[in-house]
Amino acid sequence: MSATADQTSVSVSEELLAPLPSGVEICYQTFGDPDADPLLLVMGLGGPMNWWDTGLCTLLAERGFFVIRYDNRDTGRSSRGTGRVKPSMLFRAFVGRRVRAPYSIADLADDAFGLLDHLDIASAHVVGASMGGMIAQTMAIADPDRVRSLTSIMSTTGRRTVGWQSPLLLPILVARRGPDREAYVAGGLKVWQMIGSPGFPPDLEELERRGHETFDRGVSRSGVMRQMIAVLTQRDRTAQLRRLRMPTLVIHGLADKMVHVSGGRSTAMAVPGSELLLIDAMGHDFPKPLYDTIASAVRRTADRATAD
């Protein structure tokens, strides 16, 4: 079955499940014409697919993409992982000590490839945000023939001297939220008001709506901890990024507290021929006034792949 997005002719699928050979099951949804250019959207830490706003997905579909958004493992309606991560492990990893993670960024990249396989898509344009940018970069490195173009948003290379997080954020990110929906939403509002874009004040009602939707689709504190340790134990990809040749776009906000803009700058410096788009007063979120800017830049980058 399919639904139709409000005030648009873009076709939107129901939420579907992709069982992968690894045993992981991925929940996904598509927007647009399956014969259009495939575009895989990869979200960041603790972020289910609904953090890719329907309005942005629809806009991208209207720009000629077959848009695929999905829940990473341990988020939303995708499979939950195993293995307990204690806060002490996160702090050890944060300061650079060796820690064994239940899974890696490379494992999350394999999930994304598995979803493309399920959809019988040989290659796609890949857009990743934050941790999703790390996953997208890893996909491009692991199998460049399957990544037509790469867009890395508010992300970094894995080098510990760039893209650092404000140390004030870690205690807030690992803090326990109450077990009910209202406590989850209240905690989320606090986080987004800290890391969001100072130049684009958030719509608090919209943030609350998304928080309720996120809670109802399924949240897992232990899953966020597993993703966080995967981020903190990732390897430096700088040398490997220098070997990439697909069209690459790097977008970063100059007011990002979660991933310092040095991460975006370093990514763009590493990938030959990449475009760096720095946005004043943008933090670690997707303000609606920037949707058109982002969609146009992604389309421009994809068109470079066609031209090449």
Side-chain angles (χ1 to χ4, degrees), residues 5-8 10 12 29 31 39 41 49-63 67 69 206 209-210 213 286-296:
D6 292 341
Q7 300 180 333
T8 180
V10 168
V12 183
Q29 186 177 39
F31 293 73
L39 179 73
L41 302 180
M49 69 167 101
N50 61 299
W51 288 13
W52 292 108
D53 186 74
T54 296
L56 178 58
C57 294
T58 299
L59 185 59
L60 288 164
E62 291 173 342
R63 299 293 175 92
V67 179
R69 66 178 184 178
E206 176 62 21
R209 183 205 61 78
R210 188 179 67 182
E213 181 183 20
F286 286 95
K288 285 189 177 182
L290 296 179
Y291 284 3
D292 188 71
T293 297
I294 293 168
S296 296

Side-chain angles (χ1 to χ4, degrees), residues 66-122:
F66 177 55
V67 179
I68 307 149
R69 66 178 184 178
Y70 72 99
D71 296 328
N72 283 307
R73 70 167 81 174
D74 271 329
T75 59
R77 293 177 176 149
S78 289
S79 295
R80 296 292 180 258
T82 59
R84 183 184 178 194
V85 175
K86 300 178 182 179
S88 60
M89 295 170 61
L90 293 176
F91 284 105
R92 290 203 303 273
F94 188 79
V95 298
R97 296 177 62 184
R98 184 178 295 274
V99 176
R100 184 178 181 85
Y103 53 76
S104 66
I105 294 294
D107 292 323
L108 296 174
D110 286 342
D111 291 347
F113 281 132
L115 174 57
L116 293 180
D117 290 340
H118 174 80
L119 294 169
D120 198 26
I121 295 174

